[in-house]
Amino acid sequence: MGKIEKILKELTVEHTHLLKKIKEFQERLENDFSDELIDEILKFIDEELEEHARKEEEDLVDAIEEADANFDSGALIFGHQTLVDGIEDFKTVVEEYRKGKSSQKDVVKYADRVFTLIKDHFIEEEHFLFPDILKLDLERFE
Ligand SMILES: [Fe+2]
Ligand SMILES: [Fe+2]
């Protein structure tokens, strides 16, 4: 297995793991809301999701460049900007909520928005971006 193929496999496994956590968070947002849940979601975003994005923006991009594939790696990073914006909005609402300036309903709404953005993003990567990258990896040996 090539280096790129190996990283893509790892990233896809991570997607499954992250989506499982998101599903749990969404169930708790609906049925078991608490301040601790908000902290857990923020930690999930800042640590696990952040590390996943770093793997794509650094490790995967490095592997692509190393393979000398003529791939526009900007697309990988560009796809993350929408997520970054959604996360920023969520964090703003959490800050307001902690000051009593926004409601639980708003926190849930913005958390759900972030989770939907993440899900859509993973689908885009697995269905379009990753297969395109893999094709490049394989074409080099033709
Ligand atoms: Fe990504
Ligand atoms: Fe990803």
Side-chain angles (χ1 to χ4, degrees):
M1 201 193 295
K3 196 176 180 185
I4 293 176
E5 197 182 350
K6 189 170 166 275
I7 295 176
L8 291 177
K9 279 226 167 92
E10 279 173 20
L11 290 167
T12 305
V13 170
E14 280 185 24
H15 284 172
T16 308
H17 172 76
L18 295 168
L19 287 172
K20 193 170 163 255
K21 284 208 149 182
I22 285 173
K23 195 166 172 257
E24 285 166 12
F25 282 138
Q26 286 187 303
E27 278 167 13
R28 287 169 66 195
L29 279 168
E30 211 179 306
N31 305 314
D32 193 18
F33 188 89
S34 68
D35 288 352
E36 292 77 53
L37 176 60
I38 298 177
D39 291 336
E40 280 182 53
I41 292 172
L42 288 170
K43 195 167 182 273
F44 169 79
I45 289 170
D46 288 336
E47 293 178 13
E48 282 176 78
L49 195 69
E50 182 65 35
E51 172 56 18
H52 178 77
R54 189 208 58 77
K55 237 185 227 183
E56 290 172 348
E57 292 181 9
E58 293 175 18
D59 301 354
L60 181 58
V61 169
D62 284 352
I64 291 169
E65 281 169 6
E66 203 179 293
D68 204 23
N70 196 15
F71 185 80
D72 177 20
S73 44
L76 266 169
I77 296 158
F78 180 75
H80 289 168
Q81 195 52 50
T82 315
L83 283 182
V84 170
D85 294 342
I87 288 165
E88 215 172 275
D89 292 344
F90 170 62
K91 286 184 175 176
T92 304
V93 169
V94 168
E95 259 175 56
E96 285 171 5
Y97 171 76
R98 284 174 173 159
K99 289 180 199 155
K101 286 178 186 165
S102 78
S103 66
Q104 177 181 322
K105 210 177 141 199
D106 290 327
V107 175
V108 173
K109 187 177 126 193
Y110 279 83
D112 266 328
R113 238 187 76 199
V114 169
F115 291 145
T116 301
L117 288 172
I118 294 172
K119 284 190 231 174
D120 290 347
H121 177 66
F122 287 178
I123 289 169
E124 200 186 339
E125 286 183 334
E126 288 186 32
H127 291 256
F128 301 102
L129 208 53
F130 289 0
D132 279 351
I133 293 169
L134 195 60
K135 229 193 296 172
L136 276 172
D137 197 25
L138 299 173
E139 273 168 5
R140 286 188 301 123
F141 302 103
E142 276 171 9

